[in-house]
Amino acid sequence: MPPFGISPLLSLLESCKTIKQGLQVHAQIILNGFQHHDFPISRLISFFALLGSEDGTKYSQILFFQIECPNQFMYNTMIRGFSHSKFPEKALVFYSSMLRQVNRSPNNFTYPFLLNSCARLSTLKPGIQVHSHIMKFGFELDPFVGNALMHFYSVFKRLNDARIVFEGIPVRDLVSYNTMINGYGLVAQPGPALRLFRKMQDSGILPDEFTFVALLSAFSSLNDHRIGKEIHGFVYRNLCCVDSNVLLKTAILHMYAKSGLMDLAERVFSSMRSNKSTAAWSSMVSGYARCGETEAARRMFDQMDQRDLICWTAMISGYSQSGQYSEALELFMQMEDLGIRPDECTLAAVLSACARLGALSLGERLHSRYIEGELCSQNIIISTALIDMYSKCGKIDSALHMFNSIPKGLNTVSLFNSMISGLAQHGLGESALAVFGEMESIGLKPDGVTFVAVLSACSHSGLIEEGKELFRSMSDVYGIKPHKEHYGCMVDLLGRDGCLDEAYDLIRSMPFEANAVIWRALLGACKVHGNIKIGEVACQKLIELEPDHGAHYILLSNMLANTNKWEQAGRVRKVMEDRGVQKPPGWSYIEFQGTIHRFLASDKSHLQDKGIESMLQDMAMRLKSAGYVPNTTQVMFDIDEEEKETIVSYHSEKLALAFGLVNSSTRETIRIMKNLRVCGDCHSAFKLLSEIYSREIIVRDAIRFHHFKNGSCSCKDFW
C-alpha cells in the first residue's frame, strides 16, 4: 500500500463513526510516520474523546499521556470529552494539570466545558472555585463563559448567583435568556421566568423551541388548568410545526403531567403516536405516580421498551410517596441488578422508604456504597434524607454525627427541621432545643415546620414551660401564625402534663375548628389521666369527624375499662360492632439481614414459628420469675384471666421481639417498628425483658421511639 499524506488521513478520520475505524486510521498514522506530529495526534484525541463512549474516552487518555507537552487544544478536548462522560470529575484533573504546565493557560473555550462538568457533580464547591479562576484570568465578561456559569448556578438552584452573572454579561444572546428562564423553571418560579421572557422579546431576540420548553417547565408547577392551556396555545401561536416537534410536545406533556392534569397529558401523549420519547413516557409515569395512581403508573412503566434513570426514579418515588415502601425498595433492587446507578433524587426517594420501613441495613448500605465521603457532607438533599433515615430507624447518634459533620455554611432550614424532628421522636427535648438555638445563632429563620418539630420535642420530654414560651414566640417574635398542627402539639403538651381543662379550653379558643389529630391528642391524654368527662367529648367529636375509624372507639373503650366501667366500655364496643367498624390491625416489623419481617397479633404463619413460640415461652417464664404480672385490663373479651394473659403475650411487638432474640447475636440491639401506639402491657414487659436478656430494645410506635435498656425506658413512662 502506498504511503498516505497527512491530509487524506485526517479526511479519513473525519468520516469515521466507530472506535474500530478510528484505530485503523491511528495505525495508518503510525505506519506513515506521523505519530510524533502534534496535529494528527490532537485530531485523534479529539475523535476518541468526543465519540461519546467509555472506551473512546479511555483511548483518548492513552494518546494524551503519550505526548510530552500537550497543547491547549488537547487539554480543552480532554476537558470537553469528560464533561459528557460518566466521570465529569476527571475534567477537573486535566484542568489542574493544565494550570501546572508552562505556557498552557486556559482560554474561553476551556471554561464552558469545565463548568458543564462541575454542574454534573454533587457538590457546589468546585464550580465556585472555577468561577474565581474565570475572574482571575479575565473571562467573566465572555458570553459563552457567562452562559455556562448561569447554567452551573441554575443546576444547583442558586438563581440569585445566576442572575448576577446574567446582569453582568454585556451582550446577552438567545442562549443567555434560555438558560435563565430554564433556571427559574428548575426552582418553580414562573413569574420571574415570564418577566424575563417579555424582556427578551422587548430586546428583539426571537424565542426558539428551547425557550418555550424552558417556559413550559417554569409553569408546570402551578397546577392551574387555565394557565396551562393558555401557555399551550401561546406555543402554537408563536412556533410552527409544533405537532411534529417531539421536544416541544414532550415539554407540553410534562407540564400537564407535573400539574396533575392527567386527562390533558393523556391527550398529548396519544397524539404523539409513534414519536413518544423516553422523556414522554417518564413524564406519564411521574404524573400518574404524583396523583397517587401507582397502578396506572406501573402499567405505563412496564410498557416501556427503554427505561432511563428518570423513569426508574419516578416510579420509585411514586411508590414511596404513596406509602408503598416495600414496592419502592423492591423496584430499586431491580434497578441495581441492571447496573443502573442512582442519582441524588433516586437515593432521596429510597432513603425515605427505608426510613418509613425501618430498613436500616439497606439505608446503611446506600450510605456506604453511593454516598460516603464528600457527597455526604456537601449534598444537603442527601444529608437531610440520611438524617431522617437514621432518626426514623432508631440510630439517633448516627443522625447527630451526620448533622454535626456538615459545614455550617451549607446548613438549611430543612436540614435543621429534620434533625429537630428526629430528636423529638426520640424524646430528646433538651437536645432539640439546643439545635433550635444553634439554628437561630447562625441566622437561619425557623418556619412553621420547625415549630411543629420543636413543640413536639417539648411534648415528648415534658418541657411544659419551654413549649408554652415557644408557642407564644411564634407570632410575637417570628411572625408565624400558628396553624392546626401547632395547636395540636400544644394540646398534646398540656394533655400529657395532665392540664386537660387548659387543653380543652385551648381547643375551644382556636380560630378554626379542631381536626381529628387535635381531638385524638386530647382523647389520648384523657385515657392516660383517667378523665372520662372530657374524654367522652373528645371521642364524640372524633366519631363525628371519622365515623369509620375504629381506633377512637377502642381508645374510649379502653379508657372506660381502665376505670372499671365495664358496662359502658361494653356499650362502646357494641356500637362499634353494630356500625360495622373494624379495629385497625396492629402489626410490627423487624429487619433481619436486609429483609423486613412483618407480624400480626397471634400470627403463627412465620417460617420460624416454632422458634418464635419457644422464645415466647422463655420470655413468659422469665417475666414470671421476675414477678411480672400481665396487664389484661384492655382485653375486652368475655373470657377468663388465663386466656387474657395469652392474648397479650401474642401482641405483634412481642412476636417481633421473640424473632429478634432468636436471630440476633448476644447484646445486639433489637429494633422494632409498630404501626400503633405500644400498649401498656408490652411497654412494662419490654422494660423488664431489656434487663433480663441484657439487650437494648428500640421500638418505634405511632407516637415516638422507646429505648428500653437496663429495665427502664427513655420515655420515662411519659407517652
Side-chain angles (χ1 to χ4, degrees), residues 333-520:
M333 302 288 193
Q334 292 178 27
M335 188 187 98
E336 273 195 317
D337 289 342
L338 293 172
I340 301 173
R341 188 175 178 86
D343 64 6
E344 71 172 37
C345 296
T346 323
L347 289 170
V350 178
L351 285 168
S352 176
C354 290
R356 285 356 180 240
L357 278 179
L360 178 62
S361 296
L362 177 58
E364 289 180 324
R365 181 172 71 77
L366 293 175
H367 188 178
S368 62
R369 182 172 181 180
Y370 299 113
I371 311 169
E372 200 72 74
E374 189 175 9
L375 172 60
C376 187
S377 62
Q378 299 288 335
N379 190 308
I380 295 302
I381 293 174
I382 294 297
S383 296
T384 304
L386 277 170
I387 288 169
D388 184 57
M389 185 274 295
Y390 279 122
S391 296
K392 286 185 169 65
C393 288
K395 291 194 75 171
I396 192 66
D397 289 342
S398 296
L400 274 169
H401 176 75
M402 171 77 57
F403 177 77
N404 291 327
S405 68
I406 297 168
K408 298 306 176 188
L410 297 177
N411 284 332
T412 64
V413 173
S414 295
L415 185 78
F416 273 92
N417 289 350
S418 183
M419 190 68 255
I420 294 170
S421 179
L423 292 165
Q425 283 185 303
H426 287 265
L428 300 171
E430 292 182 357
S431 296
L433 289 175
V435 173
F436 178 79
E438 182 184 344
M439 179 182 188
E440 291 185 299
S441 69
I442 63 173
L444 285 176
K445 183 181 179 182
D447 59 13
V449 178
T450 314
F451 279 100
V452 170
V454 75
L455 287 171
S456 177
C458 291
S459 176
H460 288 313
S461 302
L463 302 173
I464 310 302
E465 293 306 318
E466 291 87 342
K468 288 180 178 180
E469 180 58 35
L470 282 165
F471 186 73
R472 281 193 293 268
S473 72
M474 281 185 66
S475 53
D476 294 348
V477 179
Y478 301 98
I480 298 173
K481 187 178 180 180
H483 293 288
K484 288 183 181 181
E485 52 268 32
H486 303 109
Y487 279 98
C489 289
M490 285 305 297
V491 170
D492 191 52
L493 177 79
L494 295 168
R496 287 172 187 272
D497 195 45
C499 305
L500 297 172
D501 290 325
E502 189 177 349
Y504 187 34
D505 289 341
L506 179 64
I507 293 175
R508 289 187 290 184
S509 69
M510 292 191 315
F512 33 66
E513 289 294 319
N515 59 16
V517 175
I518 294 173
W519 287 115
R520 195 176 298 123

Side-chain angles (χ1 to χ4, degrees), residues 551-564:
H552 312 326
Y553 299 86
I554 298 297
L555 198 55
L556 179 60
S557 175
N558 289 343
M559 182 172 62
L560 292 165
N562 284 346
T563 55
N564 297 318

Side-chain angles (χ1 to χ4, degrees), residues 25-89:
V25 173
H26 187 194
Q28 288 298 321
I29 286 174
I30 293 171
L31 286 172
N32 286 274
F34 297 121
Q35 68 270 30
H36 298 300
H37 292 222
D38 281 358
F39 187 66
I41 296 302
S42 68
R43 303 314 300 171
L44 271 174
I45 290 173
S46 179
F47 169 77
F48 287 114
L50 305 182
L51 197 58
S53 71
E54 193 172 340
D55 289 338
T57 309
K58 287 180 180 177
Y59 201 74
S60 67
Q61 279 185 273
I62 293 170
L63 289 172
F64 182 89
F65 289 127
Q66 290 176 355
I67 298 170
E68 187 175 347
C69 294
N71 59 32
Q72 190 183 62
F73 175 82
M74 294 176 186
Y75 273 109
N76 285 349
T77 299
M78 293 304 298
I79 291 169
R80 181 182 178 186
F82 277 112
S83 72
H84 300 294
S85 75
K86 290 183 179 179
F87 308 101
E89 65 278 1

Side-chain angles (χ1 to χ4, degrees), residues 576-686:
M576 180 179 173
E577 184 179 329
D578 292 343
R579 293 181 179 179
V581 178
Q582 298 293 316
K583 175 188 174 182
W587 45 258
S588 299
Y589 50 86
I590 183 171
E591 184 188 37
F592 177 64
Q593 294 183 345
T595 301
I596 300 294
H597 296 263
R598 191 167 182 262
F599 296 92
L600 294 169
S602 302
D603 183 15
K604 296 187 177 182
S605 62
H606 196 276
L607 293 174
Q608 294 187 33
D609 178 55
K610 289 183 179 179
I612 293 169
E613 178 68 32
S614 176
M615 180 56 70
L616 283 171
Q617 292 176 8
D618 185 70
M619 288 160 55
M621 182 186 68
R622 295 198 188 198
L623 284 169
K624 188 174 183 179
S625 298
Y628 174 73
V629 178
N631 179 358
T632 61
T633 56
Q634 294 178 10
V635 180
M636 293 298 297
F637 301 108
D638 186 18
I639 55 178
D640 62 33
E641 190 64 25
E642 186 176 345
E643 288 181 88
K644 289 182 178 182
E645 289 183 13
T646 301
I647 289 171
V648 297
S649 296
Y650 282 85
H651 280 182
S652 64
E653 55 265 55
K654 287 199 177 89
L655 294 175
L657 176 58
F659 174 86
L661 289 169
V662 168
N663 290 283
S664 60
S665 58
T666 306
R667 299 192 179 280
E668 183 180 346
T669 299
I670 295 174
R671 292 178 170 84
I672 298 169
M673 308 294 158
K674 182 173 173 62
N675 69 323
L676 304 177
R677 186 185 299 217
V678 65
C679 76
D681 176 74
C682 289
H683 191 271
S684 298
F686 276 34

